[in-house]
mmCIF file of all heavy atoms in Angstrom:
data_model
loop_
_atom_site.group_PDB
_atom_site.id
_atom_site.type_symbol
_atom_site.label_atom_id
_atom_site.label_comp_id
_atom_site.label_asym_id
_atom_site.label_seq_id
_atom_site.Cartn_x
_atom_site.Cartn_y
_atom_site.Cartn_z
ATOM 1 N N ASN A 1498 20.726 46.192 49.340
ATOM 2 C CA ASN A 1498 20.884 46.591 47.995
ATOM 3 C C ASN A 1498 20.671 45.373 47.011
ATOM 4 O O ASN A 1498 21.333 45.277 45.971
ATOM 5 C CB ASN A 1498 22.240 47.215 47.741
ATOM 6 C CG ASN A 1498 22.455 48.457 48.547
ATOM 7 O OD1 ASN A 1498 21.490 49.250 48.671
ATOM 8 N ND2 ASN A 1498 23.668 48.616 49.065
ATOM 9 N N ASN A 1499 19.842 44.345 47.476
ATOM 10 C CA ASN A 1499 19.562 43.141 46.703
ATOM 11 C C ASN A 1499 20.847 42.361 46.356
ATOM 12 O O ASN A 1499 20.955 41.765 45.350
ATOM 13 C CB ASN A 1499 18.869 43.540 45.315
ATOM 14 C CG ASN A 1499 17.488 44.022 45.610
ATOM 15 O OD1 ASN A 1499 16.828 43.623 46.520
ATOM 16 N ND2 ASN A 1499 16.962 44.878 44.691
ATOM 17 N N GLU A 1500 21.806 42.401 47.293
ATOM 18 C CA GLU A 1500 23.028 41.676 47.094
ATOM 19 C C GLU A 1500 22.733 40.099 47.124
ATOM 20 O O GLU A 1500 21.760 39.675 47.699
ATOM 21 C CB GLU A 1500 24.054 41.914 48.200
ATOM 22 C CG GLU A 1500 23.601 41.462 49.582
ATOM 23 C CD GLU A 1500 24.627 41.830 50.659
ATOM 24 O OE1 GLU A 1500 25.659 41.222 50.660
ATOM 25 O OE2 GLU A 1500 24.288 42.733 51.482
ATOM 26 N N CYS A 1501 23.576 39.417 46.437
ATOM 27 C CA CYS A 1501 23.339 37.964 46.273
ATOM 28 C C CYS A 1501 23.918 37.178 47.426
ATOM 29 O O CYS A 1501 25.022 37.443 47.843
ATOM 30 C CB CYS A 1501 23.925 37.451 44.960
ATOM 31 S SG CYS A 1501 23.707 35.748 44.608
ATOM 32 N N TYR A 1502 23.124 36.241 48.012
ATOM 33 C CA TYR A 1502 23.580 35.410 49.005
ATOM 34 C C TYR A 1502 24.230 34.152 48.503
ATOM 35 O O TYR A 1502 24.813 33.411 49.344
ATOM 36 C CB TYR A 1502 22.393 34.913 49.876
ATOM 37 C CG TYR A 1502 21.852 35.951 50.850
ATOM 38 C CD1 TYR A 1502 20.520 36.466 50.796
ATOM 39 C CD2 TYR A 1502 22.645 36.364 51.911
ATOM 40 C CE1 TYR A 1502 20.053 37.313 51.740
ATOM 41 C CE2 TYR A 1502 22.190 37.289 52.851
ATOM 42 C CZ TYR A 1502 20.848 37.784 52.716
ATOM 43 O OH TYR A 1502 20.408 38.686 53.681
ATOM 44 N N ALA A 1503 24.313 33.927 47.266
ATOM 45 C CA ALA A 1503 24.743 32.572 46.754
ATOM 46 C C ALA A 1503 26.168 32.254 47.173
ATOM 47 O O ALA A 1503 26.533 31.052 47.229
ATOM 48 C CB ALA A 1503 24.646 32.546 45.283
ATOM 49 N N ASN A 1504 26.991 33.238 47.407
ATOM 50 C CA ASN A 1504 28.390 32.988 47.720
ATOM 51 C C ASN A 1504 28.682 32.648 49.148
ATOM 52 O O ASN A 1504 29.793 32.361 49.597
ATOM 53 C CB ASN A 1504 29.285 34.117 47.246
ATOM 54 C CG ASN A 1504 29.283 34.261 45.790
ATOM 55 O OD1 ASN A 1504 29.164 33.255 45.054
ATOM 56 N ND2 ASN A 1504 29.459 35.478 45.286
ATOM 57 N N ASN A 1505 27.583 32.695 50.042
ATOM 58 C CA ASN A 1505 27.825 32.346 51.450
ATOM 59 C C ASN A 1505 26.955 31.251 51.947
ATOM 60 O O ASN A 1505 26.785 31.086 53.107
ATOM 61 C CB ASN A 1505 27.716 33.613 52.312
ATOM 62 C CG ASN A 1505 26.324 34.155 52.332
ATOM 63 O OD1 ASN A 1505 25.385 33.512 51.824
ATOM 64 N ND2 ASN A 1505 26.118 35.336 52.920
ATOM 65 N N GLY A 1506 26.474 30.422 51.018
ATOM 66 C CA GLY A 1506 25.639 29.295 51.419
ATOM 67 C C GLY A 1506 24.174 29.450 51.747
ATOM 68 O O GLY A 1506 23.509 28.590 52.141
ATOM 69 N N THR A 1507 23.734 30.707 51.552
ATOM 70 C CA THR A 1507 22.243 30.994 51.802
ATOM 71 C C THR A 1507 21.543 31.031 50.462
ATOM 72 O O THR A 1507 22.041 31.661 49.473
ATOM 73 C CB THR A 1507 22.178 32.344 52.436
ATOM 74 O OG1 THR A 1507 22.877 32.306 53.711
ATOM 75 C CG2 THR A 1507 20.707 32.680 52.737
ATOM 76 N N LEU A 1508 20.423 30.393 50.408
ATOM 77 C CA LEU A 1508 19.605 30.354 49.177
ATOM 78 C C LEU A 1508 18.400 31.259 49.340
ATOM 79 O O LEU A 1508 17.686 31.190 50.350
ATOM 80 C CB LEU A 1508 19.135 28.888 48.849
ATOM 81 C CG LEU A 1508 18.170 28.782 47.704
ATOM 82 C CD1 LEU A 1508 18.777 29.223 46.386
ATOM 83 C CD2 LEU A 1508 17.655 27.355 47.594
ATOM 84 N N TYR A 1509 18.176 32.124 48.348
ATOM 85 C CA TYR A 1509 17.028 32.990 48.404
ATOM 86 C C TYR A 1509 15.873 32.177 47.809
ATOM 87 O O TYR A 1509 15.965 31.773 46.634
ATOM 88 C CB TYR A 1509 17.250 34.269 47.635
ATOM 89 C CG TYR A 1509 15.890 35.042 47.464
ATOM 90 C CD1 TYR A 1509 15.389 35.651 48.552
ATOM 91 C CD2 TYR A 1509 15.330 35.210 46.205
ATOM 92 C CE1 TYR A 1509 14.156 36.362 48.457
ATOM 93 C CE2 TYR A 1509 14.141 35.912 46.090
ATOM 94 C CZ TYR A 1509 13.606 36.441 47.179
ATOM 95 O OH TYR A 1509 12.418 37.169 47.080
ATOM 96 N N LEU A 1510 14.845 31.934 48.546
ATOM 97 C CA LEU A 1510 13.662 31.119 48.083
ATOM 98 C C LEU A 1510 12.385 31.865 48.392
ATOM 99 O O LEU A 1510 12.075 32.169 49.556
ATOM 100 C CB LEU A 1510 13.697 29.769 48.850
ATOM 101 C CG LEU A 1510 12.413 28.872 48.608
ATOM 102 C CD1 LEU A 1510 12.353 28.461 47.129
ATOM 103 C CD2 LEU A 1510 12.530 27.648 49.489
ATOM 104 N N ALA A 1511 11.583 32.148 47.362
ATOM 105 C CA ALA A 1511 10.315 32.795 47.560
ATOM 106 C C ALA A 1511 9.225 31.738 47.150
ATOM 107 O O ALA A 1511 9.235 31.163 46.126
ATOM 108 C CB ALA A 1511 10.172 34.039 46.639
ATOM 109 N N LYS A 1512 8.240 31.608 48.103
ATOM 110 C CA LYS A 1512 7.146 30.677 47.840
ATOM 111 C C LYS A 1512 5.834 31.472 47.776
ATOM 112 O O LYS A 1512 5.212 31.826 48.779
ATOM 113 C CB LYS A 1512 7.091 29.618 48.982
ATOM 114 C CG LYS A 1512 8.396 28.871 49.125
ATOM 115 C CD LYS A 1512 8.392 27.915 50.245
ATOM 116 C CE LYS A 1512 7.812 26.594 49.829
ATOM 117 N NZ LYS A 1512 8.012 25.521 50.862
ATOM 118 N N ILE A 1513 5.484 31.814 46.576
ATOM 119 C CA ILE A 1513 4.464 32.857 46.408
ATOM 120 C C ILE A 1513 3.086 32.386 46.704
ATOM 121 O O ILE A 1513 2.139 33.199 46.868
ATOM 122 C CB ILE A 1513 4.517 33.457 44.950
ATOM 123 C CG1 ILE A 1513 4.260 32.426 43.889
ATOM 124 C CG2 ILE A 1513 5.835 34.150 44.733
ATOM 125 C CD1 ILE A 1513 4.216 32.958 42.542
ATOM 126 N N HIS A 1514 2.877 31.062 46.806
ATOM 127 C CA HIS A 1514 1.562 30.555 47.200
ATOM 128 C C HIS A 1514 1.581 30.097 48.642
ATOM 129 O O HIS A 1514 0.630 29.469 49.107
ATOM 130 C CB HIS A 1514 1.149 29.390 46.308
ATOM 131 C CG HIS A 1514 0.820 29.771 44.940
ATOM 132 N ND1 HIS A 1514 0.764 28.929 43.862
ATOM 133 C CD2 HIS A 1514 0.483 30.989 44.432
ATOM 134 C CE1 HIS A 1514 0.436 29.590 42.739
ATOM 135 N NE2 HIS A 1514 0.263 30.832 43.034
ATOM 136 N N GLY A 1515 2.619 30.323 49.406
ATOM 137 C CA GLY A 1515 2.733 29.978 50.774
ATOM 138 C C GLY A 1515 3.386 28.637 50.958
ATOM 139 O O GLY A 1515 3.882 28.021 50.046
ATOM 140 N N SER A 1516 3.384 28.138 52.159
ATOM 141 C CA SER A 1516 4.031 26.896 52.555
ATOM 142 C C SER A 1516 3.252 26.181 53.665
ATOM 143 O O SER A 1516 2.582 26.770 54.382
ATOM 144 C CB SER A 1516 5.485 27.217 53.012
ATOM 145 O OG SER A 1516 6.165 26.066 53.471
ATOM 146 N N ILE A 1517 3.517 24.827 53.734
ATOM 147 C CA ILE A 1517 2.802 24.088 54.728
ATOM 148 C C ILE A 1517 3.462 24.253 56.068
ATOM 149 O O ILE A 1517 2.866 23.918 57.103
ATOM 150 C CB ILE A 1517 2.750 22.579 54.384
ATOM 151 C CG1 ILE A 1517 4.216 21.995 54.257
ATOM 152 C CG2 ILE A 1517 1.996 22.332 53.115
ATOM 153 C CD1 ILE A 1517 4.259 20.475 54.104
ATOM 154 N N GLU A 1518 4.621 24.788 56.149
ATOM 155 C CA GLU A 1518 5.325 25.215 57.380
ATOM 156 C C GLU A 1518 5.910 26.523 57.265
ATOM 157 O O GLU A 1518 6.909 26.691 56.505
ATOM 158 C CB GLU A 1518 6.340 24.142 57.786
ATOM 159 C CG GLU A 1518 5.737 22.828 58.271
ATOM 160 C CD GLU A 1518 6.822 21.920 58.759
ATOM 161 O OE1 GLU A 1518 7.985 22.310 58.976
ATOM 162 O OE2 GLU A 1518 6.460 20.763 59.111
ATOM 163 N N PRO A 1519 5.402 27.572 57.969
ATOM 164 C CA PRO A 1519 4.185 27.460 58.723
ATOM 165 C C PRO A 1519 2.945 27.305 57.844
ATOM 166 O O PRO A 1519 2.995 27.555 56.664
ATOM 167 C CB PRO A 1519 4.153 28.807 59.508
ATOM 168 C CG PRO A 1519 4.845 29.707 58.589
ATOM 169 C CD PRO A 1519 5.956 28.937 57.897
ATOM 170 N N LEU A 1520 1.888 26.930 58.513
ATOM 171 C CA LEU A 1520 0.683 26.656 57.700
ATOM 172 C C LEU A 1520 0.055 27.981 57.187
ATOM 173 O O LEU A 1520 -0.784 28.578 57.829
ATOM 174 C CB LEU A 1520 -0.365 25.895 58.503
ATOM 175 C CG LEU A 1520 -1.627 25.458 57.800
ATOM 176 C CD1 LEU A 1520 -1.345 24.740 56.469
ATOM 177 C CD2 LEU A 1520 -2.467 24.592 58.713
ATOM 178 N N ASN A 1521 0.571 28.428 56.107
ATOM 179 C CA ASN A 1521 0.132 29.716 55.553
ATOM 180 C C ASN A 1521 0.114 29.546 54.023
ATOM 181 O O ASN A 1521 0.997 29.911 53.325
ATOM 182 C CB ASN A 1521 1.167 30.814 55.977
ATOM 183 C CG ASN A 1521 0.764 32.153 55.439
ATOM 184 O OD1 ASN A 1521 -0.425 32.440 55.133
ATOM 185 N ND2 ASN A 1521 1.676 33.059 55.314
ATOM 186 N N ILE A 1522 -0.955 29.032 53.572
ATOM 187 C CA ILE A 1522 -1.030 28.641 52.148
ATOM 188 C C ILE A 1522 -2.192 29.339 51.469
ATOM 189 O O ILE A 1522 -3.229 29.668 52.113
ATOM 190 C CB ILE A 1522 -1.209 27.139 51.910
ATOM 191 C CG1 ILE A 1522 -2.476 26.567 52.492
ATOM 192 C CG2 ILE A 1522 0.009 26.413 52.473
ATOM 193 C CD1 ILE A 1522 -2.692 25.098 52.235
ATOM 194 N N ILE A 1523 -2.071 29.671 50.217
ATOM 195 C CA ILE A 1523 -3.103 30.181 49.380
ATOM 196 C C ILE A 1523 -3.699 28.990 48.628
ATOM 197 O O ILE A 1523 -3.065 28.399 47.765
ATOM 198 C CB ILE A 1523 -2.618 31.216 48.410
ATOM 199 C CG1 ILE A 1523 -2.035 32.440 49.199
ATOM 200 C CG2 ILE A 1523 -3.771 31.697 47.505
ATOM 201 C CD1 ILE A 1523 -1.399 33.457 48.280
ATOM 202 N N PRO A 1524 -4.900 28.576 48.947
ATOM 203 C CA PRO A 1524 -5.546 27.399 48.278
ATOM 204 C C PRO A 1524 -5.539 27.473 46.791
ATOM 205 O O PRO A 1524 -5.687 28.624 46.257
ATOM 206 C CB PRO A 1524 -6.903 27.267 48.877
ATOM 207 C CG PRO A 1524 -6.865 28.073 50.144
ATOM 208 C CD PRO A 1524 -5.883 29.171 49.902
#
């Protein structure tokens, strides 16, 4: 239900262009 993780030490992070680990990037 889209609950927030902020209160238990977990950070929600979205990398919309990808990431170097794993190597999955949008140039």
Side-chain angles (χ1 to χ4, degrees):
N1498 299 322
N1499 291 329
E1500 65 181 289
C1501 181
Y1502 279 119
N1504 291 332
N1505 65 10
T1507 300
L1508 173 64
Y1509 173 68
L1510 173 65
K1512 304 177 84 169
I1513 61 176
H1514 290 163
S1516 177
I1517 61 172
E1518 286 187 10
L1520 183 52
N1521 181 24
I1522 64 176
I1523 299 175

